[in-house]
Amino acid sequence: MRQGLFSIFLICRLLLHAQESDTTIKKNSFVVFPVISYAPETDLQLGAIGIWVLNNTDDFESGFRRQSTLTPYFVYTLKKQSIAVANLDYYFPQGQNLNTAVRYYNFPDSYFGIGNDNDPDISEQYTNRFFQVEGQYLIPINEKVFVGGAYDAHFTSIVNTEVGGLLEAQNPVGINGGNLFGAGPAFRYDTRDYTVYPSSGYFISSRIVLNTGDFNYTTYITDARKFINLKDKKHILAFQLRAQFTSGTDVPFYKLSQLGGDERLRGISNASLYRDRQMMYTQVEYRRPLFWRFGMTVFAGVGDVAYSPGDFNFSELKYIAGVGGRLSLIPNKQLNARLDIGIGRGGQTGIYIGVSEAF
């Protein structure tokens, strides 16, 4: 759903704000941008996104710059649909980290089926209405190692489905929505030199979430990243390997692992096209500055979804490649707006506009 959210980001207004509205008060920076987009299923979409970067941890006795960020955004459509999200990544003075997202969606989504061979031209439109609080709280063992707990509370209603459509025909788990409560242990190893725009170091995050409520299953997630400084911290190679596995068959379809969107293999035509119980992908990106506040990136990736780990097949892997432009919104905080264009297997394409890097 996010990949269409910033279809038109008012580029002229963006440039104006980037040049004139970088408000730095002591250690904090805050900017706000308008959001306008259009899609046939939503009509005109209006909203705003805010970006607040805090330097509150720069005084923490550490060799790493771990800045806190708060990114709220709100979108409302002329068909009375809405999205309200607040993403918080907060580092306490003693090094504890609260990374959480609060989401409310009353927005159209697409169902293509479950599996890795769905037809991008065959889908059903429905409305996914949910409220979610998801994240993790970590405490530092030392400057590099963090341990703590992850959580996920998700309350979902699936409405406006089609009579005789794909959902009715396939009748997946969770077709009527439901309530979920998940919690479990979390671990992080972090040697990035900077959290907002790292140029060197490792980031390895793992968590296990035991879900209960109307459904019962367990999710295992590992996200490993490596950043290499090629020249003066301006030319950067970034690598990511991410895996999300599920044990148990009582998994609602809207919580299955998905491949695509503005963070996972940009170039797949719809973020809901491929979904299943297991998912793995890897991607690499080269980032560099150009002139003034502009930069660019070149990226590529490969991955897939499957029912079980043994079902991954090399011949069925989904691959993408693309290029992107960057505009520094808050230069002294290294926070960028991005426009990415990706091409995927079978001629699929995707255009993504957002804030901060994909990983």
Side-chain angles (χ1 to χ4, degrees):
M1 285 177 285
R2 288 184 60 191
Q3 76 181 74
L5 182 57
F6 301 103
S7 299
I8 302 174
F9 201 20
L10 284 183
I11 299 300
C12 293
R13 186 67 171 165
L14 182 68
L15 289 169
L16 179 64
H17 274 280
Q19 186 171 7
E20 299 179 357
S21 298
D22 176 5
T23 303
T24 303
I25 303 174
K26 295 182 179 180
K27 294 184 176 183
N28 304 336
S29 294
F30 182 73
V31 290
V32 179
F33 302 106
V35 173
I36 295 181
S37 63
Y38 175 86
E41 63 271 16
T42 64
D43 209 319
L44 190 66
Q45 304 174 32
L46 304 171
I49 180 170
I51 307 161
W52 189 11
V53 182
L54 303 172
N55 268 348
N56 59 313
T57 56
D58 278 358
D59 295 332
F60 178 59
E61 295 181 1
S62 171
F64 308 104
R65 293 181 65 193
R66 291 178 173 145
Q67 290 185 317
S68 299
T69 58
L70 173 63
T71 309
Y73 65 83
F74 175 78
V75 172
Y76 182 80
T77 80
L78 296 188
K79 292 188 177 181
K80 299 182 180 180
Q81 301 148 328
S82 58
I83 292 178
V85 177
N87 296 305
L88 174 66
D89 189 15
Y90 186 79
Y91 286 89
F92 293 87
Q94 292 75 31
Q96 304 98 321
N97 176 226
L98 174 64
N99 187 303
T100 194
V102 180
R103 306 181 180 101
Y104 172 76
Y105 273 57
N106 179 20
F107 217 74
D109 202 350
S110 297
Y111 180 76
F112 295 86
I114 296 172
N116 65 359
D117 60 350
N118 298 321
D119 188 334
D121 296 323
I122 300 177
S123 65
E124 175 183 346
Q125 198 79 38
Y126 68 97
T127 296
N128 192 348
R129 184 180 298 158
F130 72 84
F131 176 76
Q132 181 186 27
V133 180
E134 177 190 29
Q136 55 188 14
Y137 178 78
L138 302 173
I139 60 174
I141 302 301
N142 54 46
E143 289 186 338
K144 303 177 182 179
V145 179
F146 299 76
V147 296
Y151 51 88
D152 184 6
H154 202 133
F155 310 94
T156 304
S157 296
I158 303 298
V159 298
N160 298 329
T161 58
E162 297 178 9
V163 176
L166 277 178
L167 282 167
E168 182 179 305
Q170 297 186 4
N171 193 31
V173 175
I175 190 172
N176 296 315
N179 300 326
L180 271 172
F181 305 90
F187 166 86
R188 181 188 298 167
Y189 176 76
D190 189 359
T191 64
R192 294 172 298 172
D193 58 343
Y194 189 33
T195 55
V196 175
Y197 190 82
S199 63
S200 63
Y202 287 92
F203 173 88
I204 302 173
S205 175
S206 295
R207 64 184 184 270
I208 301 173
V209 181
L210 290 81
N211 299 281
T212 187
D214 293 330
F215 311 95
N216 294 277
Y217 63 97
T218 303
T219 304
Y220 309 84
I221 301 174
T222 296
D223 186 350
R225 310 176 189 182
K226 168 64 175 174
F227 303 90
I228 300 175
N229 173 19
L230 299 178
K231 182 181 178 182
D232 301 330
K233 293 188 176 183
K234 294 182 179 180
H235 297 254
I236 300 167
L237 269 181
F239 300 87
Q240 182 187 35
L241 172 64
R242 184 180 174 93
Q244 182 168 324
F245 298 128
T246 302
S247 63
T249 58
D250 189 28
V251 188
F253 76 91
Y254 51 84
K255 293 291 282 184
L256 292 170
S257 301
Q258 294 183 204
L259 198 64
D262 67 343
E263 296 179 351
R264 307 177 181 184
L265 298 194
R266 290 153 287 171
I268 293 175
S269 59
N270 191 294
S272 300
L273 178 56
Y274 304 118
R275 67 173 96 207
D276 215 324
R277 294 172 64 251
Q278 324 300 339
M279 179 269 292
M280 289 193 301
Y281 70 87
T282 184
Q283 52 188 350
V284 59
E285 187 166 292
Y286 168 63
R287 303 165 181 168
R288 61 156 297 167
L290 292 176
F291 60 91
W292 190 55
R293 297 192 181 191
F294 291 102
M296 67 162 291
T297 182
V298 179
F299 57 87
V302 62
D304 211 350
V305 297
Y307 181 79
S308 65
D311 291 335
F312 286 101
N313 190 322
F314 182 81
S315 65
E316 297 177 346
L317 292 178
K318 313 300 182 291
Y319 48 82
I320 61 93
V323 297
R326 298 295 183 266
L327 172 64
S328 179
L329 301 178
I330 309 177
N332 61 322
K333 309 299 185 194
Q334 296 175 285
L335 184 68
N336 295 328
R338 59 185 173 98
L339 168 62
D340 292 330
I341 302 175
I343 301 175
R345 180 174 179 172
Q348 297 184 50
T349 59
I351 300 176
Y352 312 87
I353 300 178
V355 176
S356 76
E357 303 307 316
F359 63 94

